[in-house]
Structure formats: C-alpha cells, structure tokens
Amino acid sequence: MFTDSVELTVSSGKGGAGCVAFRREKFVLNGGPNGGDGGKGGDIWFKCDNNTHTLSHFQRKMHIKADSGRPGEGSNMTGKSGAKKIIIVPPGTQIIDMESGEILLDMVEDGQEAKFLEGGKGGLGNTHFKSPTNQRPTYAQPGQKGETRNIKLELKLIADVGLVGFPNVGKSTLISTVSNARPEIANYEFTTLTPKLGQVNIGDYESFIMADIPGIIGGAHEGKGLGIQFLRHIERTKTLLFMIDLASYRDLKEQIEVLQDEVAQFSEKLGTSKFAIALTRVDIINPEDINELVSGFIEMMGLTPSNKSDFDFDQNLPYYIQEDVDETLGYDSSKPYFILPISSATHKNIEGLKYALFNLVQSDRKK
C-alpha cells in the first residue's frame, strides 16, 4: 500500500537516575559516597534510505520511543545509556511540526542522517554532592525527561520530470513505454490512484526519473478529484510534461489552460517550472485531421511550427521546439521547450521525446 502522509508522536529516552551508595569494605571505616551517575537517554534520529519508497511501514498515529538510560550503581559505576532510535524514511520525506506547520527536517539524499530529539541527561550520583560540611549525602539527581514532539511525515517524490494531465490521457501508458515502471493501464478515468516513479534510460550510462501522478481535473487545488493529494509529488521536479489528449472530448485549449492554472494555484514554484507539451494519441486521430489539430494548437500557444530538430522528430507531423535549452542562448522558460505529437501505442516520436526531455533535464543538472 502506498502511504505518503502519516502522523507520529516521537519521544527521546529519559535519563537514568543517579545512585545513592556508600563504600562498604572490610577495614574501611565510614566509607564515603560512591553512587554512580545515571545513563543518558536514547536520541531520536532520522535516516534517509533509497530502499524505502513509502511511509506505509508506519502505523497510524503510532508513538515511537527511544530507550531510557539505566540508573547508576555503586562503586561509581555509570548506568548504561539508552540506545538511539533511528527512524528510516524514503528520500523526499519532510518532517513537519504538527502544531506550527514548520518544516523541521527535509530528507532528500540516500544515507542522510539527522538527530531530531536529544535524550535526557542522566542524574548525578551522590558522590558529586559530598563536601566538607556534608560528607554523607543521601540524595542523588533524578534523570532528565526526554523530549516529545507530535510530527507529520510527508513524502514528496523526487523526480526529474513530472507528468501532468487530465485522467485517461495516456500518462501511465507513456511511463510504462519509456521506463521500468509498470502501472495499471485501463480505458477509464482515475486508473492511477497512487503516484508511480520510473527510470528512463538514455544509453548505457545516463538516465532520468519520471513521475506519474493521478489525473488532475479543474478545481484540483481546492480538493476536487485525486490530484490535490498528489500534486506535492511533482513539487520537487524542475521539469513538467503536460500531456494533452488530441482525442479527448475536452477542448485542447481548455486542457492546457486548466492544467497550467491548477499547477500554478497549487504552487507558485511549480507555476514557473520549465515545461514541455506532449499531444497524445495521434494513432487514433484521422490522419487528415492531425496536421490541422497540431498546427492549430501550436499557433494557439502563440508559436510557429519548427522545421528541424536534433532529436529525429517525425517530419511528417507538425511540432515546435526551441533552438536551445541554455537561457544565455535564447531559451525562454515562459514557453514550452517543445510541443510534440506522440503515440505510446505505436511509439510515434517516443524516442525523440525521451532525448528531448533528457536534454532539458541535463540543463538543470549542470547548474
């Protein structure tokens, strides 16, 4: 089961109490105090691990506690410290304070570790309280209490390219075609109920990560449909691929305007992300209508169809692509990097799409 948000209570360990003890040895008269200190309580740590991809291993509203320190003992022996508790989370997890909403930790890199709560200090044994005027102290410190916090864990998947589109526009088909992801595919809306990640390989040594989220509808940022629950999963992506269905009953202009508006309303950062547009399902459009549909869409975006590309786009179909991804060489991030008609079923322009997206991803990685 995919879980991307859980509420937890976490507590560090309490320090062990100091010991009240006195030397009791043969031939030692009136032995002095020798009570040891209590052990330190265990800390709470978070660790980021690539081998986990969901928060489903946390139970609802569970309470995670570190071990308490052991009490001190006689002969000035310090009690054993409590073991630290390491909480394993997947990359992209944010630890948020339930009361203030403040982001306390952001775990993004595999192997990243961060101390979250400090364990309580152990109490001092009575040996610390001896003095010329008090040679027989009969008290010791109790251990300090640990810290407790109510937190929320939120998972925001980390991907290079996020797919954005209405339900049933071919997002799942595309990600299954170009990557190792195997989402459920069916001819009805909201087939995808949870986000999916896929690795898109470019040659033997290069790749990028693509994220497919449930379809977005108008009003998603206000809670309509499923998209609002998962829009945060593309919040970390720097590149968006808007997928527009040529065969949909929805008008093409309506599709792109609603999608861009929903993304911008959800996150100002997402609204200014680099983006490209894929016009899907050209395989089921009448060949006589394709050119008119695609050219009309490109012109509706205020652009002019291109006549050459470096990515072997099908020259029999209209398309648009900017000449470069470098802003110093004329790239305009307010416009789509490309507008490309594709068909995942017949692999029309799929290879070109992969390499063009990788080119856009690479431009961000070089910064």
Side-chain angles (χ1 to χ4, degrees), residues 44-329:
I44 294 287
W45 286 70
F46 279 94
K47 181 177 181 180
C48 188
D49 189 344
N50 267 344
N51 293 315
T52 58
H53 304 286
T54 174
L55 301 174
S56 58
H57 52 287
F58 296 104
Q59 298 174 7
R60 186 173 179 271
K61 297 199 174 183
M62 67 191 297
H63 192 166
I64 299 176
K65 302 176 183 178
D67 294 338
S68 296
R70 300 294 300 167
E73 299 180 11
S75 301
N76 290 317
M77 289 194 294
T78 301
K80 183 180 179 181
S81 295
K84 68 180 182 181
K85 186 72 174 179
I86 300 177
I87 302 174
I88 306 294
V89 294
T93 301
Q94 291 183 333
I95 292 87
I96 301 170
D97 186 85
M98 285 290 292
E99 295 180 5
S100 66
E102 178 188 0
I103 297 175
L104 305 172
L105 290 174
D106 197 2
M107 311 298 289
V108 295
E109 296 182 3
D110 181 42
Q112 178 184 350
E113 292 188 6
K115 184 190 290 188
F116 184 63
L117 296 179
E118 184 84 27
K121 292 181 179 179
L124 298 177
N126 70 336
T127 188
H128 291 276
F129 302 104
K130 64 184 178 182
S131 69
T133 57
N134 185 12
Q135 298 182 6
R136 187 179 170 81
T138 56
Y139 56 86
Q141 284 182 337
Q144 289 185 354
K145 292 183 178 179
E147 302 176 75
T148 296
R149 294 193 82 156
N150 295 317
I151 58 172
K152 178 191 249 184
L153 305 186
E154 277 198 355
L155 176 59
K156 295 182 179 181
L157 299 179
I158 300 175
D160 297 301
V161 177
L163 303 183
V164 183
F166 279 86
N168 203 32
V169 298
K171 299 187 303 297
S172 296
T173 306
L174 175 64
I175 198 171
S176 68
T177 301
V178 301
S179 77
N180 58 354
R182 293 294 175 265
E184 180 182 353
I185 300 172
N187 190 26
Y188 53 84
E189 296 190 345
F190 294 114
T191 311
T192 301
L193 299 178
T194 61
K196 299 291 188 298
L197 284 182
Q199 178 176 302
V200 182
N201 293 319
I202 305 293
D204 294 331
Y205 304 106
E206 297 283 4
S207 65
F208 64 90
I209 302 299
M210 180 179 285
D212 171 25
I213 67 168
I216 295 173
I217 61 175
H221 73 281
E222 298 173 343
K224 295 181 180 179
L226 298 175
I228 186 64
Q229 302 174 41
F230 303 111
L231 271 170
R232 63 173 172 268
H233 289 298
I234 58 171
E235 199 168 2
R236 293 184 188 273
T237 65
K238 295 182 179 179
T239 300
L240 300 180
L241 179 63
F242 290 99
M243 300 188 65
I244 307 300
D245 188 358
L246 292 172
S248 173
Y249 61 88
R250 298 182 179 94
D251 182 72
L252 301 184
K253 181 179 180 182
E254 174 197 353
Q255 290 186 60
I256 188 62
E257 288 181 349
V258 169
L259 292 174
Q260 288 183 317
D261 181 62
E262 290 301 320
V263 166
Q265 291 283 352
F266 177 78
S267 166
E268 183 178 344
K269 178 183 174 183
L270 274 181
T272 58
S273 297
K274 292 182 178 181
F275 71 101
I277 299 174
L279 304 176
T280 67
R281 300 210 288 179
V282 298
D283 54 296
I284 63 173
I285 301 296
N286 189 323
E288 298 175 357
D289 299 330
I290 292 177
N291 285 1
E292 182 180 348
L293 271 175
V294 176
S295 295
F297 181 86
I298 293 173
E299 292 168 4
M300 182 270 295
M301 296 292 292
L303 304 169
T304 303
S306 304
N307 52 27
K308 65 176 182 177
S309 80
D310 297 328
F311 306 108
D312 293 327
F313 292 164
D314 190 329
Q315 297 297 316
N316 295 318
L317 296 174
Y319 62 86
Y320 165 81
I321 186 167
Q322 296 195 44
E323 293 184 2
D324 206 288
V325 292
D326 190 333
E327 294 180 359
T328 62
L329 297 176

